[in-house]
Amino acid sequence: MDLRFTDAEPTDEERAAVDALLGPPLNGWDGGERTDADLRWAHGGHEARDHRDQLLPALHAVNDRVGWLSEGALDYICRRLLVPPAEGYGVATFYAMFSVTPRPARVLHICTDLACETRGAAALMVGVESRLGPAGQARDGVVWQSSPCLGLCERAPAALLIQAGLPTGPAQAGDPAAAHPACPAIEDRGPGAEPLVSGRGGVGEEPAAGAPDRHATAVLAPATAEAVAAATLAPEAAPDEPVEASAVPQAGTDGLVLLRRVGVVDPADLDDYRANGGYAALRRAFALGPAAVIREVLDAGLVGRGGAAFPTGRKWDATARQPERTHYLVCNADESEPGTFKDRVLMEGDPYALVEAMTIAGYAVGAHRGFLYLRGEYPRALRRLEHAIGQARGRGLLGPDVLGQGFAFDIEIRRGAGAYICGEETAIFNSIEGRRGEPRSKPPFPVEKGLFGKPTAVNNVETLLNVLPILEHGAAAYAATGTAASTGTKLFCVSGTVRRPGVYELPFGATLRELLALAGGVPEGRTLRAVLLGGAAGGFVRGDELDIPLTFEGTRAAGTTLGSGVVLVLDETVGLPRVLLRIAEFFRDESCGQCVPCRVGTVRQEEALHRIADRVGAEAAADVALLRDVGGVMRDASICGLGQTAWNAVESAIDRLGAFE
């Protein structure tokens, strides 16, 4: 291992940010002052290398404190962890939320992805540019840039403001209404606007009094150019109003399962959660035992809700059977598929349910440590989960002896930093371990060698929350809902040109027509042109195909996919070529570049779509043929699902919607 450090020195602020996370350096080899003893022997190397998984949190610590990663800061982090600086630089530049060049402490991200594209993101960017200057150029202490999906699709168009380097204050992390008195927040300029609220303390811990603030965030959605400019240039204090009601139009109605507490129960109150059925499932899990819990999940027919639809019970059983002593559980909360926001709503509106579900999963697979990998663009979810984990730990629901049953389990939150590929299960492992978030070749599979080389079960938020009703009511009752092959209920993220966007819960087997009727259909006087199912990696259906049953088998038979539950509605006012081009741009940007078919193919796909954006018929035929060739190669030869599905939506638009004819 070649450790070639530079002579660059960190600033006092950068050094303090790293030391607050890692502790003070112990010797000259650990980044401290050199002494005569350090010249005679080296020590502590193994311990430092064993903590390489702290690389991503250390990068966050500096970025949150200063706003960017200088050469001196990166060098100091690498010295502390004995990571080659070249590898540290490779990790830092992998994530979109980090910058290795100077930028202001305030960064404004404006979503330009599919849902926001249909609701005026282009006009929003024009308005912002007229007030704040061109994208990427600092002005008045702020810089703005376009962003892939922020997971705020029900309130499109959306923007996220991040401010680094805030002072210490007494506000309690996780308190939904807490705003740092020295942290200016936005005033209420529309439904769903959130103030700049700081996130503080150690990962998964309640912060000590006087702990330094990490950073502040403000969500502006729906955003207008006037509100964005006012928030970035002259912010004012405002209350942190709940948004669950707008995100879940069904909130409070009968028949809900996963959404039954969202918008009804106080997400910060553990007692309120327990009074509404919380922790009954965990108590039954302890009564059954790990093997019986897995049998219940198997009998219920639960399959993954992230898109792959792999049987959850089989994954848990395979992990539990591994002879290795150490097992891990990873919750994939990095939902970055454009148009997907269901997991965000669950984490914001019912965070204790996820803590309980992860505890059950850990108990079933024999894991005593769980990692919750949360996408970096979810500040409200981060605050509420930190609070929920701290409260559960303080009440004996996490820790060395959960509920007095002799089972030890705890949860650590790891923040992502803007990388769609980290939603792939093995890319999450690399990211947590302090490496570039690139997928691994399989086999070996995660249940055999996953996180830190140990057997690991990976499930997303929606999948884990389905375990609660299975244990509360039994596998038979759960399987009675839905169809034989798709049991239970499913969350659907409805967005685009629809009257009531939001997260909807329906039993498997309901039709797309029934779902769109719940959402109010397209605005009056408009015509439904198409619906994109499954997000950027999904496929289109026509306006006359709305009787498709929303099941895994039903969508497969119809030649499309259910995916993660994205339902993006497009009426005749939305330009289909621009939507397809945005999908191609998304995959080009989000490809990790590890394999040639995806790295080159996503670029060639975008180039071809640029050429034919304004052409139809015979003029476009050659490029359509090229698209088919490139798409086939990506599907057959890419390492992971990103490249394998990057052509899906474009192909379905050509074949089903007659694009470019």
Side-chain angles (χ1 to χ4, degrees), residues 213-248:
D213 284 343
R214 292 193 303 236
H215 66 309
T217 58
V219 170
L220 297 98
T224 64
E226 295 78 10
V228 167
T232 54
L233 300 178
E236 300 172 43
D240 188 15
E241 296 187 355
V243 296
E244 283 77 17
S246 63
V248 183

Side-chain angles (χ1 to χ4, degrees), residues 458-510:
V458 186
N459 298 110
N460 75 350
V461 175
E462 184 186 357
T463 304
L464 287 168
L465 261 65
N466 271 278
V467 174
L468 302 183
I470 290 174
L471 293 181
E472 288 168 359
H473 306 296
Y478 180 90
T481 301
T483 66
S486 299
T487 60
T489 63
K490 179 75 183 77
L491 299 183
F492 297 97
C493 308
V494 182
S495 62
T497 51
V498 66
R499 292 182 182 179
R500 291 190 296 275
V503 178
Y504 289 84
E505 182 174 10
L506 289 174
F508 276 113

Side-chain angles (χ1 to χ4, degrees), residues 290 294 315-317 319-321 327-329 360-367 457:
I294 293 175
K315 181 183 293 187
W316 287 13
D317 184 56
T319 305
R321 289 178 182 274
H327 295 179
Y328 289 109
L329 171 74
I360 293 171
Y363 177 66
V365 304

Side-chain angles (χ1 to χ4, degrees), residues 41 56 129 162 219 278 296 411 435 464 473 504 518 547 641:
W41 66 80
L56 185 56
E129 184 172 6
I162 301 176
V219 170
E296 285 285 295
I411 298 171
R435 294 175 171 80
L464 287 168
H473 306 296
Y504 289 84
L518 272 179
D547 291 318

